[in-house]
Amino acid sequence: MPEERDLISVNYVSPLVLRKELENLMDNEGVGVLESPDIIKEKQVIFWNMAWYFQRLNLPTHLTDHIYGNYADEERSKDFDGQVHVSTSWDLDRPIDDDHIPLYVLWNVPAHEHQDATIDEKSWTPRSVVQSVVANIKVNDIADPFGCLFEERNRQKLINPNIQWSIYREMLFLSLMACGSDNINIDSFDREYKRTYRYLHRDGNSGTYPLTNEDHPLPTRAMWCRRAFKPPTLQPRLPPSRYFLSQGLISED
């Protein structure tokens, strides 16, 4: 898993909103405000959105100098260049609660810790299920993982009737994490998922798989939006340490 030394998250703003905020900032504080390294911390939303747009358009900018000045130190100064990655992100702000651990998060848990934790943490999806989904995705099979995840969600609902999670979201995120985003064609994934979803809703199959709104395929307008703004990345994550502490798998130190 890639090491993340500093992780900064800000809201994404549209180009029109960013332009208005930038104009207001320069009207109030002068054009020189963009030359000050303080902008990176005092105006985080504006700064990081500007950095994102410059990167997306492949335009030169002095903004990276501010990043270096604020976050490089003596220990990292030699290898800091090239270590900053700016991207839009899926799922970064969603908390991991006690009801359900996302499958792509479980994928990063070492096998022995995952297996031991599932002894008491019944809301965890068994590693065998996670591995089965990944194995089928690797051979371009969406139908079998669909049924597998549907049954797993039903199992978890018997323990906690209020639990909710999306088969689409879980399958896509796990595919991206386990197979690598470079190896997953999201448009093809969406087409296959939509075909499977429609099949399960015809000829009485909806009774076998009573799906929820969260399982619905991505709307066409959302697909076009994703193409216009580049597919977001999925950041590596691990479950909170409390899950491991309860099993004695790691020390509190």
Side-chain angles (χ1 to χ4, degrees), residues 25-88:
L25 179 64
M26 290 190 291
D27 286 342
N28 294 330
E29 302 186 29
V31 179
V33 67
L34 298 179
E35 299 295 331
S36 172
D38 294 337
I39 188 177
I40 195 171
K41 294 183 177 180
E42 294 179 357
K43 304 294 181 181
Q44 278 197 345
V45 175
I46 294 177
F47 176 84
W48 287 109
N49 272 272
M50 288 178 60
W52 158 244
Y53 280 112
F54 274 106
Q55 174 181 283
R56 179 183 165 197
L57 297 173
N58 195 28
L59 297 175
T61 174
H62 70 284
L63 295 177
T64 52
D65 295 336
H66 294 335
I67 299 175
Y68 183 91
N70 275 273
Y71 293 100
D73 52 35
E74 292 183 359
E75 296 180 358
R76 288 185 279 172
S77 59
K78 294 182 180 180
D79 62 352
F80 188 79
D81 290 339
Q83 298 302 310
V84 178
H85 178 67
V86 182
S87 71
T88 51

Side-chain angles (χ1 to χ4, degrees), residues 107 129-140 145 174-175 178-179:
W107 181 258
V129 173
V130 179
Q131 292 176 325
S132 176
V133 171
V134 172
N136 281 280
I137 292 296
K138 287 183 177 180
V139 294
N140 300 318
L174 178 59
S175 301
C179 302

Side-chain angles (χ1 to χ4, degrees), residues 41-218:
K41 294 183 177 180
E42 294 179 357
K43 304 294 181 181
Q44 278 197 345
V45 175
I46 294 177
F47 176 84
W48 287 109
N49 272 272
M50 288 178 60
W52 158 244
Y53 280 112
F54 274 106
Q55 174 181 283
R56 179 183 165 197
L57 297 173
N58 195 28
L59 297 175
T61 174
H62 70 284
L63 295 177
T64 52
D65 295 336
H66 294 335
I67 299 175
Y68 183 91
N70 275 273
Y71 293 100
D73 52 35
E74 292 183 359
E75 296 180 358
R76 288 185 279 172
S77 59
K78 294 182 180 180
D79 62 352
F80 188 79
D81 290 339
Q83 298 302 310
V84 178
H85 178 67
V86 182
S87 71
T88 51
S89 181
W90 263 320
D91 212 43
L92 188 61
D93 295 328
R94 184 173 66 152
I96 298 178
D97 54 32
D98 294 326
D99 292 334
H100 175 67
I101 307 294
L103 301 190
Y104 83 92
V105 175
L106 289 178
W107 181 258
N108 292 317
V109 177
H112 67 283
E113 294 180 359
H114 186 169
Q115 191 61 40
D116 291 343
T118 55
I119 295 175
D120 294 326
E121 299 292 343
K122 297 301 184 182
S123 63
W124 284 38
T125 302
R127 189 166 186 83
S128 59
V129 173
V130 179
Q131 292 176 325
S132 176
V133 171
V134 172
N136 281 280
I137 292 296
K138 287 183 177 180
V139 294
N140 300 318
D141 179 9
I142 297 291
D144 284 347
F146 206 115
C148 183
L149 292 181
F150 177 82
E151 293 176 0
E152 173 59 22
R153 186 172 63 188
N154 280 351
R155 182 191 73 82
Q156 295 182 16
K157 279 183 173 292
L158 292 177
I159 301 171
N160 179 4
N162 296 320
I163 198 169
Q164 292 183 338
W165 47 271
S166 164
I167 292 178
Y168 171 83
R169 185 187 186 102
E170 294 295 337
M171 197 186 306
L172 175 59
F173 284 8
L174 178 59
S175 301
L176 292 170
M177 183 59 64
C179 302
S181 57
D182 292 339
N183 298 317
I184 296 294
N185 185 314
I186 299 180
D187 288 340
S188 296
F189 177 94
D190 283 338
R191 286 194 297 270
E192 290 301 317
Y193 184 92
K194 182 178 293 186
R195 184 179 294 112
T196 301
Y197 182 91
R198 288 175 175 172
Y199 171 78
L200 295 176
H201 274 265
R202 74 176 186 179
D203 298 332
N205 288 331
S206 58
T208 305
Y209 293 98
L211 303 174
T212 67
N213 290 334
E214 289 80 6
D215 301 326
H216 197 280
L218 201 67

